[in-house]
């Protein structure tokens, strides 16, 4: 995990830099594809994901080394050929994992966060889950285990394969000629993120688009069908932690409410969106019917709140990077507490962005908790060793958090929820 944290220490500024470049480019060409609150929400989601992964939170059903040990029919030495085979097998597994996430109710919960943005840009690529607490991906790598692909090769390629899916989340790159027949391109992925009937559940490939063409899930971007983004059951919140568990909460409610015991069991494994008939009738859920005429989630936000949200994102990111930098010295218990502060921070300021009244309590309590940690330890997780006055700046940040929560809750006009359809 320490190696992964080190990789994230360098990868995070790189991806954030590319997001800033896209924002700058959009401003320069007068074709901006970002709005402040959505982008802050997307980047905040990325923070929670990398902190969760760096802490190794979750249950691994089976590991790839275990499968390799028990299933390998042969052994491939780590030559250039094994890297090619491993990449193809990894991408094949990624396709089927992605397809499961779109077609099975339970698995959709861990993927919905990625589709929840009603914009499409590089920031939304960083909307990654914290709800993927059940590690089963190794099961889809059985072909690699049978071929004897070394687990060290998979370990190196897996993060590269993931990071290589970042660049095509943009509207600023058009179709790419002959590459459209080989790799996943921005045009193809715009289709994938769209909620138009023509585009739903299409283009599930991750790097190579050949799997979509082979298994009938490919769809070209059509000039006459401009993609509309988001999910058909809108998240209606900027809080990425809430979005992570909205779908599974609906499943739990439906499983509890239905009178049919068979439905209580099968709802988890039915196609995404399936609901028991008795519950569907009694407890309807609002779904977008006209994708060209719905009002995006955009609660009123002053320039002050937008600036404050950016400030919170920057400080939280800086804290997270320090956590990765000082990973080994903080210790596991300290990392769990540090991670909790990051999660509470994201939950608090994104709830404040929603203008929810209870946000003030989260912000005040986490501010007081942060001050208490500094007071009791006379440090902030080892920051004093690198920056002698750093504790005072962190303490000042928590004071700002307390007063920010109070100000934006009680001294700015309250948010009135927008209607779904305009």
């Amino acid at each position: 995990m320490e190696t992964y944290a080190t990789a994230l220490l360098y990868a995070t500024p790189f991806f954030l830099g590319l997001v800033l470049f896209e924002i700058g480019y959009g401003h320069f060409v007068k074709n901006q594809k970002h709005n402040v609150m959505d982008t802050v929400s997307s980047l905040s989601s990325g923070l929670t994901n990398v902190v969760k992964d760096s802490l190794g939170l979750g249950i691994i059903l089976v590991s790839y080394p275990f499968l390799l040990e028990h299933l390998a029919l042969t052994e491939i030495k780590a030559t250039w050929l094994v890297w090619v085979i491993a990449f193809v097998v990894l991408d094949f597994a990624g396709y089927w994992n992605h397809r499961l996430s779109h077609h099975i109710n339970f698995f959709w919960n861990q993927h919905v966060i990625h589709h929840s943005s009603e914009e499409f840009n590089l920031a939304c690529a960083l909307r990654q889950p914290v709800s993927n607490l059940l590690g089963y991906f190794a099961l889809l790598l059985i072909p690699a285990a049978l071929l004897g692909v070394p687990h060290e090769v998979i370990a190196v390629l897996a993060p590269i394969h993931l990071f290589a899916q970042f660049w095509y989340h943009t509207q600023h790159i058009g179709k790419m000629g002959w590459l459209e027949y080989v790799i996943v391109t921005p045009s193809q992925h715009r289709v994938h993120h769209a909620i138009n009937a023509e585009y739903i559940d299409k283009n599930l490939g991750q790097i190579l688009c050949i799997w979509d063409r082979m298994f009938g899930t490919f769809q070209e971007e059509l000039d006459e069908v401009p993609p509309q983004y988001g999910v058909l059951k809108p998240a209606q919140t900027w809080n990425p932690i809430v979005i992570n568990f909205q779908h599974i909460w609906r499943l739990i409610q439906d499983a509890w409410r239905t009178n049919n015991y068979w439905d209580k069991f099968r709802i988890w494994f039915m196609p995404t969106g399936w609901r028991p008939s008795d519950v569907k009738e009694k407890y309807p859920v609002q779904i977008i019917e006209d994708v060209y005429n719905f009002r995006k989630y955009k609660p009123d936000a002053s320039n002050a709140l937008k600036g404050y949200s950016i400030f919170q994102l920057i400080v939280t990111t800086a804290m997270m990077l320090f956590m990765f930098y000082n990973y080994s010295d903080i210790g596991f218990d300290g990392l769990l507490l540090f991670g909790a502060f990051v999660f509470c921070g994201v939950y608090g300021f994104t709830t404040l962005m929603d203008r929810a009244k209870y946000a003030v309590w989260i912000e005040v309590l986490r501010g007081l908790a942060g001050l208490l940690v500094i007071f009791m330890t006379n440090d902030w997780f080892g920051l004093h060793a690198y920056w002698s006055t750093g504790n005072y700046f962190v303490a000042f940040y928590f004071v700002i958090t307390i007063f920010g929560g109070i100000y934006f809750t009680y001294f700015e006009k309250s948010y009135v929820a927008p209607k779904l359809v305009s």
Side-chain angles (χ1 to χ4, degrees), residues 121-137:
N121 49 49
L122 289 178
C124 98
L126 301 177
R127 287 194 178 222
Q128 297 296 328
V130 296
S131 55
N132 56 337
L133 300 173
L134 200 62
Y136 63 88
F137 184 74

Side-chain angles (χ1 to χ4, degrees), residues 43-223:
L43 297 179
S44 300
S45 175
L47 299 185
T48 60
N49 170 259
V50 296
V51 168
K52 175 254 178 187
D53 285 351
S54 70
L55 295 176
L57 302 179
I59 299 172
I60 304 297
L61 290 181
V62 62
S63 69
Y64 180 72
F66 176 85
L67 293 178
L68 183 65
E69 179 182 350
H70 292 86
L71 298 180
L73 299 177
T74 184
E75 182 180 359
I76 305 176
K77 300 299 181 181
T79 63
W80 67 270
L81 182 60
V82 75
W83 292 93
V84 173
I85 292 173
F87 180 82
V88 172
V89 174
L90 188 64
D91 199 58
F92 181 73
Y95 169 83
W96 285 104
N97 180 57
H98 200 179
R99 189 161 176 169
L100 279 175
S101 297
H102 274 259
H103 288 275
I104 304 296
N105 249 339
F106 178 76
F107 295 123
W108 175 240
N109 184 74
Q110 67 183 13
H111 190 56
V112 65
I113 179 69
H114 184 62
H115 284 263
S116 59
S117 175
E118 293 169 339
E119 311 296 334
F120 184 75
N121 49 49
L122 289 178
C124 98
L126 301 177
R127 287 194 178 222
Q128 297 296 328
V130 296
S131 55
N132 56 337
L133 300 173
L134 200 62
Y136 63 88
F137 184 74
L139 292 172
L140 299 173
L141 291 173
I142 288 177
L146 291 171
L147 292 171
V149 175
H151 67 87
E152 295 88 354
V153 173
I154 295 294
V156 171
L157 280 181
I160 295 174
H161 186 267
L162 175 63
F163 294 160
Q165 298 170 46
F166 174 78
W167 73 278
Y168 50 60
H169 291 80
T170 183
Q171 297 184 60
H172 292 300
I173 300 176
K175 293 187 178 181
M176 302 182 68
W178 61 270
L179 286 175
E180 298 286 339
Y181 295 92
V182 183
I183 63 172
V184 175
T185 65
S187 175
Q188 292 175 27
H189 209 62
R190 287 193 288 271
V191 165
H192 176 69
H193 273 255
I195 55 176
N196 310 63
E198 297 88 343
Y199 295 156
I200 288 284
D201 296 335
K202 299 296 184 181
N203 298 353
L204 299 160
Q206 297 187 318
I207 302 298
L208 302 174
C209 66
I210 57 174
W211 314 120
D212 286 299
R213 295 180 184 276
M214 286 174 60
F215 299 111
T217 52
F218 182 80
Q219 173 60 56
E220 183 181 6
E221 184 178 21
L222 305 172
D223 292 336

